[in-house]
Amino acid sequence: FPVDQTRAFGKLILFGEHFVVYKVPALVGAVSAYTDCKLEYTTEPGLEVIDNRPAVPLYKEKKMDEGIEAINLTLTHLGVDTKKSGVKLTFGGDLCCASGIGASAAQVVSLARAVNIADSRSLSEDEINAAGYEGEKGYHGTPSGIDNTAATFGGLLRFQRTEGAPIFDKKTLVSPIRIVYASTGITASTTEVVGDVREKKEADEAWFADLIGKYTKLCEEGQKAVEEGDMDKLGKLMNLNHEYLQELTVSCKELDDLVVAARAAGAVGAKMSGTGRGGLMIALTPTEEIQNEVGSALEKLAPQVWKTTFA
Ligand code: PMV
């Protein structure tokens, strides 16, 4: 089984978590770490899942039930009935499952790729992405689709949810964007946090409209900074996006501490990335030297730290 053809990437949101749910643009970067999936049909009907993916402690334990639901939704969408045929899935790869890295999306996209290969279908990338989106619903009811899109297509994407199919396009980078990301070790429920944001919005529509308006301008400027390769500007905008997320109450002390430490160690910008209330933070570190400094500073505080580039 050509497992390497089932790779699906992790992602980090540069701008726009939570706001993206309300159909404004976001910028998302795929990381090179991936999940892959081997699919074997077995004689006895049923589903067997072997999960060899690395994970931060507690991640898989907390996500296991939702994971099975997501797998079943993906298989059903693709017309694979485990009541009729036996399916054995083995998930692997080097993507460390941590809340915020899009591991759930990478898992269901790699599964869709595995079905495509096992059944000798010729699904398009859009169809793979659509199957991943169905699977994502098993993790949280109303995903924006940003995670599965980054997992399927890779690169740095501008993504926008619409009433119909999402709109997205790949950004060409002047030079690779060097980053450090770190885990708080805490896994929050995306469904719960997205639900809380919705409640806050409904309780004060004027406040939310003002905030999302400011965010939308920020995201436009962020795209320009990416296109121009202006790292200082990009960093400042990441800092501002973090403030907006604090105002949404989706950051937390652990994330704020990592953000402050990264900036103190030389990052030109830092913010939480993903659901928040735990999960990950991302720091912009334009040179290898700064990347190493920031990495070392964060290692003192965070259970896990990674260095990579969006390329
Ligand atoms: O925590 P993650 O990586 O699943 O990111 C969720 C991003 C949200 O904007 C909070 C939700 C969504 O569906 O886009």
Side-chain angles (χ1 to χ4, degrees), residues 11 13 17-18 20-21 100-102 140 143-144 146-147 190 194 274-275:
K11 70 91 193 52
I13 296 177
E17 46 278 281
H18 291 288
V20 70
V21 171
I101 197 66
H140 69 110
S144 65
I146 191 167
D147 283 23
T190 303
V194 168
T275 297

Side-chain angles (χ1 to χ4, degrees), residues 3 54 56 79 160 239 265 291 305:
V3 176
V56 295
Q160 187 169 12
N239 291 342
Q291 193 180 35
V305 177

Side-chain angles (χ1 to χ4, degrees), residues 140-158:
H140 69 110
T142 54
S144 65
I146 191 167
D147 283 23
N148 48 279
T149 303
T152 305
F153 294 95
L156 190 81
L157 303 170
R158 175 191 188 274

Side-chain angles (χ1 to χ4, degrees), residues 55-70:
V56 295
L58 290 180
Y59 178 89
K60 274 199 277 188
E61 254 169 68
K62 277 193 132 175
K63 297 269 180 170
M64 202 57 200
D65 289 346
E66 291 172 340
I68 295 294
E69 165 90 17

